[in-house]
Amino acid sequence: MLVGEFRPVVAVAMASAPLVFVVCQAASATDLAFADAAVSRGIFYIQGFPSAQFGAGQGFVDLDGDRDLDVVLTGASNGLVGVYENLGAGTFANRTFSAGIAPLTAASGFSACDYDGDGDLDLYLGGWFVTNRLLRNNGNFTFTDVTAQAGLTLVGPTMASTWGDYNGDNWIDLYVTTRTTTNGNMTANKLYRNNGDGTFTDVAAAVGVDAGIDPSLLAAFFDFDRDGDDDLYVGTDKGSGGVWKNRLYRNDGGMFTEITEAANAEAYIDCMGIAIGDLNFDGYFDLYLTNVEAGNKLFMNDGGMGFIDATAAAGMARNVFSWATVFADFNNDMHLDTYICHASAPNAMFEGSATWPLMEVAQAAGVATTGTSYTASVGDVDEDGDLDLLVGEVMSSSKLYINDSPAGNHWSRLRVIGQWPNTHAVGAVLEVQAGGVTQLREIHCGSNYKSMNEFEVHIGLGVETVVDTVTVRWPATGDTRVLTGVPANIEWEIFPPELMGDGNHDGRVNRMDLFVMLAALRDNAGPLTPGLEVLDMNGDFVLDATDVAILTAKVRPIIGTIAP
């Protein structure tokens, strides 16, 4: 069966409709292969036993803007926040003691986002009944605590945090979940609106997303209905008893409407992880939700109308105590694989496939960590074109699983440049067409349980050596670009329309950029070279006279003439 033929949900009448699946016997082998190389590559960090707050956060984040992934880890018994600089190719230097981050006892969630629009990633550290912290990135791996100035002095049973531009002003807002009612604390979830001046205002109740007294564990912004703005899905603890439920809030112009039951998204589970991705190439995001022993859930999106429970057909119930989960194409075969952290069993990995039920391959792949692990992050730390895994294991050194899977399949990595002040394009949606299918991605910030994945968009291409088209839609403005003929096995930058032609990267497009263009054409005419993407005006990955003409037309109305 061709990849593009995989359409597991074909019935459209919501929950009562029958489902039609392609179900075949799973194979017994996998080509996925990983090896833990944390210590040999310079990362040695032992979490304590943060059982009260259900784990502590971590992430892959490029802290110095050099385009490789650094690592942040929390949860040590002494409260130290681990900061590790990637020196290139996935080897690390310990910057923990020079970063200027005060120890954080009872660390909880972690996320990183450019809240002030200065181009670098700032850190948000959640605490369990201790003050949460916002740390502004100063550069050079040092940070300044700006919590009080920002108005983010939240204290309570805080869990995960996620960022998104809920009101379309391009300033990235912060949603923090709290396990309300814990120890009698009635603090509800917070949606902190970014005021654009370094301060935040809680508007959760005002816009309808505080989730009342629900004991929330995590949340994720994503465009459920593909209408151009981010909706919000909140994972709730203690739902397996039939009282609490997950909640889906539809974004209606910056105000939210709860559509949980209408969308069949209630999931009465103890929700401890949310993975987001388009498993069946239908252009809508599906959800995988972790749970206690009652079983995880796979919700397939029914064309933006709601969800259909496809857990049994996919064979992904996993009736064990599960925490963080993430979708990622680890073997670059176009199919999203699923990684799951467990508290009472070895971690699991389901290999993506066009045939269901899916095969569980963690042991064979080398990622079946046996201790209690709450958190997982994904990113290409060694820049070799496949995705690696960072796993936090309680009372043990954090695991850095380097992906050693065979390199036969091709890939594409896309770094989307945001529109200021959303410099990392959080909320941008990409449709990547190759080999007869379209893969869907959205750039998220903190959608994993207490953890961060890389911002780069990674696409497995299988045997394809060229991406036919990449369509990028930026959030807030809705600006769109279509790129064609994108060569594989290269990381490319994608610039928003207003920056196209800014060859000297000064933030302006003027006649000086024409000189840059002409010099580039003289020296690099023909197939596009990485680093010159901003000059490929028509997005065909060829630098030629057409690009000069388009830039000339763009500049002329501004300066009146192209003469020096």
Side-chain angles (χ1 to χ4, degrees), residues 272 285 358 373 426 493 502:
M272 297 170 287
F285 293 108
L358 298 176
S373 57
V426 176
E493 289 187 307
D502 181 17

Side-chain angles (χ1 to χ4, degrees), residues 499 501-510 512-513:
L499 291 181
D502 181 17
N504 59 5
H505 300 287
D506 66 352
R508 299 174 295 173
V509 180
N510 53 32
M512 300 306 297
D513 296 304

Side-chain angles (χ1 to χ4, degrees), residues 30-35 329-332 337 349 351 365 384 386-388 402-409:
T30 179
D31 62 351
L32 287 164
F34 296 80
D329 186 358
F330 290 110
N331 55 0
N332 290 331
D337 311 302
M349 178 178 283
E351 185 169 2
D384 64 348
D386 54 30
L387 292 171
D388 309 301
I402 297 298
N403 193 337
D404 295 324
S405 304
N409 289 332

Side-chain angles (χ1 to χ4, degrees), residues 200-389:
F200 293 80
T201 301
D202 177 25
V203 296
V207 303
V209 292
D210 67 351
I213 62 170
D214 288 8
S216 304
L217 294 190
L218 77 164
F221 284 108
F222 76 109
D223 191 358
F224 151 73
D225 50 9
R226 297 297 311 280
D227 67 348
D229 55 23
D230 265 349
D231 311 295
L232 183 68
Y233 192 69
V234 179
T236 307
D237 196 10
K238 301 304 178 186
S240 57
V243 177
W244 310 108
K245 64 185 177 185
N246 289 0
R247 296 181 183 269
L248 176 62
Y249 297 99
R250 186 184 66 218
N251 191 337
D252 296 320
M255 297 293 292
F256 289 86
T257 303
E258 185 176 350
I259 60 169
T260 306
E261 284 79 10
N264 196 36
E266 56 268 28
Y268 285 95
I269 62 175
D270 293 16
C271 186
M272 297 170 287
I274 301 172
I276 304 168
D278 180 9
L279 292 188
N280 59 344
F281 311 106
D282 68 348
Y284 289 90
F285 293 108
D286 311 306
L287 300 175
Y288 186 66
L289 312 169
T290 60
N291 189 17
V292 292
E293 289 86 347
N296 301 343
K297 297 290 185 181
L298 175 63
F299 279 4
M300 300 297 290
N301 193 321
D302 186 27
M305 299 298 294
F307 293 97
I308 295 175
D309 187 340
T311 312
M316 297 178 70
R318 294 302 294 173
N319 300 101
V320 294
F321 213 112
S322 304
W323 288 95
T325 184
V326 62
F327 290 139
D329 186 358
F330 290 110
N331 55 0
N332 290 331
D333 66 351
M334 295 191 179
H335 292 286
L336 292 174
D337 311 302
T338 309
Y339 189 70
I340 310 161
C341 290
H342 289 149
S344 58
N347 289 357
M349 178 178 283
F350 286 99
E351 185 169 2
S353 172
T355 57
W356 287 6
L358 298 176
M359 179 173 59
E360 201 288 299
V361 298
Q363 190 70 41
V367 291
T369 299
T370 56
T372 295
S373 57
Y374 292 103
T375 52
S377 303
V378 173
D380 184 5
V381 296
D382 51 0
E383 302 173 85
D384 64 348
D386 54 30
L387 292 171
D388 309 301
L389 262 172

Side-chain angles (χ1 to χ4, degrees), residues 2 35 39 52 74 163 194 217 235 237 266 293 298 403 517 529:
L2 295 176
V39 175
T74 70
W163 299 76
N194 191 331
L217 294 190
D237 196 10
E266 56 268 28
E293 289 86 347
L298 175 63
N403 193 337
M517 170 74 84
T529 301

Side-chain angles (χ1 to χ4, degrees), residues 469-495:
T469 63
V470 175
T471 302
V472 183
R473 184 189 187 279
W474 278 264
T477 64
D479 289 344
T480 300
R481 287 190 63 208
V482 179
L483 313 177
T484 58
V486 185
N489 303 330
I490 298 173
E491 180 175 319
W492 298 102
E493 289 187 307
I494 303 178
F495 291 84

Side-chain angles (χ1 to χ4, degrees), residues 81 158 192 252 297 400 455 457 481 539 547:
V81 176
T158 59
Y192 289 110
D252 296 320
K297 297 290 185 181
L400 177 61
F455 282 101
V457 174
R481 287 190 63 208
D547 299 305

